[in-house]
Structure formats: structure tokens, C-alpha cells
Amino acid sequence: MTDPSGFLARFGTNQHFEIRQQLRFTVNRYEIWTDDVMVAVAQQKRMAFREQVTLYADDAMETPLFGFKARSVVDLGATYEVTTADGSPVGSFRKDFRRSLLRSTWHLSQPGVGECVGRERSQLFAILRRVQDSLPLPYHFDFATEDGRPVMSVERRFGLRDRYDVTVRDPALDRRLACAMAVALDALQAR
């Protein structure tokens, strides 16, 4: 896959990275860190009609790296395309609205890897979160192929600000798609 920005080279072969969310007045800000180096930053506008998030190379947000955008304005079960800055496709993801009523479920797709399904790890915590959303409960997702092969996991740390530890278990999974999915788990989950 194309990577004119050099993001994948900066990311290296690292299988672990961290997403840090910072709440701002009009936007949610997300930073992606690996080996104590920030490799990307994104801002999500609140109350957007058509969800779109672009990840940039640094705080100046002048050099776009990749991003994701909803195919349609209607958000229930919408598919989000992940593309490079020049518009080349990386993969896609979508929320399984019906299955997510009791336990959040996402579908992640990348050419060469196939479709993977990510579910909240704990059914109990999923139900408790729906009953009392203000509690900072653990929020963990495991993504696997149809035959059960692990692809990636996302684990929310306990704390006031949202932080997620992401582990890519399948080396074929494009890190840009993994980053976009991890940011989306926070940015889009309540929709």
C-alpha cells in the first residue's frame, strides 16, 4: 500500500501503540503514541452531520496522513472508508447496529486480511455501561478473523481521560487501519 507520508516507516514494526484523548471545547483531540513518540494527531468536530476524522503528522496539522469518512450521512450501521491523504483506499469498518444493542460489535475489512469482527470483551461490562454510562468501566475490544485468529485488541485504561492501549496481533494489518479503528472506538461509540 502507498505511504507517501512515511507514517508506516515512522511507526516501524511496533505492534503496540497508545491512543490518548484530550477533550477541547469544540473538538475531541486524539494523539497516537508509540515508543514515547507521537506519530499522529487528529481532531473530531462535535455534532458533525457526516463523520470525518483526518490524522495528521504533528500538532501543526498541516500534513495529512490518512483518515476515515462515513459513506453516508445516516450513521446507524454506516460504513467508514479509511484512505491515505491522496485518497488511496486502506480498508473500512462499520458498526453492527443490531448486535451492538447489548454488546458493541464492529466489522473491520482490509484487502489481503479479509473481514474481522471486533466485540467488547466482557458482556457484563457492556451491559453495565449501557445502564450507567457515567462510570469509567473497562472497555476492551478483541478483533479476530472468522476462523478465530486474533487480529488486534484495544484496551481502555482506567482514568479520567480516555487512553487506549492497542496491540496489533496480525502483522498484515495496516497500522493506519488499526489507528483509525482505535480512534473510532472512542469517537463513534456513543452514536
Side-chain angles (χ1 to χ4, degrees):
M1 298 208 166
T2 62
D3 182 28
S5 65
F7 171 78
L8 295 176
R10 285 196 328 271
F11 204 95
T13 59
N14 201 329
Q15 294 179 316
H16 305 282
F17 61 93
E18 179 184 353
I19 305 287
R20 299 176 185 172
Q21 180 198 32
Q22 298 175 347
L23 297 175
R24 302 284 168 90
F25 184 67
T26 59
V27 297
N28 291 327
R29 177 185 165 94
Y30 298 95
E31 297 173 349
I32 299 174
W33 291 79
T34 184
D35 291 334
D36 295 324
V37 175
M38 189 175 71
V39 294
V41 63
Q43 288 188 165
Q44 173 207 25
K45 292 181 184 176
R46 294 189 187 143
M47 309 302 257
F49 286 108
R50 184 174 185 173
E51 200 62 59
Q52 179 174 351
V53 175
T54 303
L55 288 98
Y56 296 89
D58 57 28
D59 281 326
M61 291 197 277
E62 294 173 354
T63 307
L65 300 171
F66 58 95
F68 61 89
K69 181 178 181 179
R71 283 185 189 164
S72 63
V73 175
V74 178
D75 202 36
L76 296 177
T79 296
Y80 296 84
E81 299 291 337
V82 179
T83 58
T84 62
D86 66 2
S88 300
V90 176
S92 64
F93 57 85
R94 67 179 172 82
K95 188 171 187 177
D96 188 326
F97 181 74
R98 185 178 57 81
R99 288 187 178 169
S100 293
L101 292 174
L102 293 176
R103 187 178 196 173
S104 295
T105 302
W106 291 81
H107 297 268
L108 180 69
S109 181
Q110 176 188 313
V113 175
E115 182 155 321
C116 309
V117 177
R119 290 182 187 87
E120 283 185 87
R121 189 175 295 161
S122 170
Q123 179 72 56
L124 174 63
F125 285 133
I127 292 170
L128 288 174
R129 263 190 339 95
R130 284 153 178 76
V131 173
Q132 183 58 283
D133 194 38
S134 63
L135 293 175
L137 294 170
Y139 187 63
H140 307 318
F141 278 82
D142 294 308
F143 288 80
T145 59
E146 290 180 4
D147 62 359
R149 182 174 42 85
V151 174
M152 71 180 266
S153 63
V154 180
E155 298 183 355
R156 180 181 176 194
R157 290 187 197 170
F158 184 77
L160 294 176
R161 280 193 255 159
D162 290 342
R163 286 186 174 207
Y164 299 89
D165 292 315
V166 181
T167 302
V168 176
R169 302 186 187 292
D170 183 340
L173 183 66
D174 191 300
R175 299 306 190 264
R176 296 168 293 194
L177 182 57
C179 290
M181 183 75 251
V183 167
L185 286 175
D186 187 271
L188 305 176
Q189 186 58 32
R191 296 178 189 271

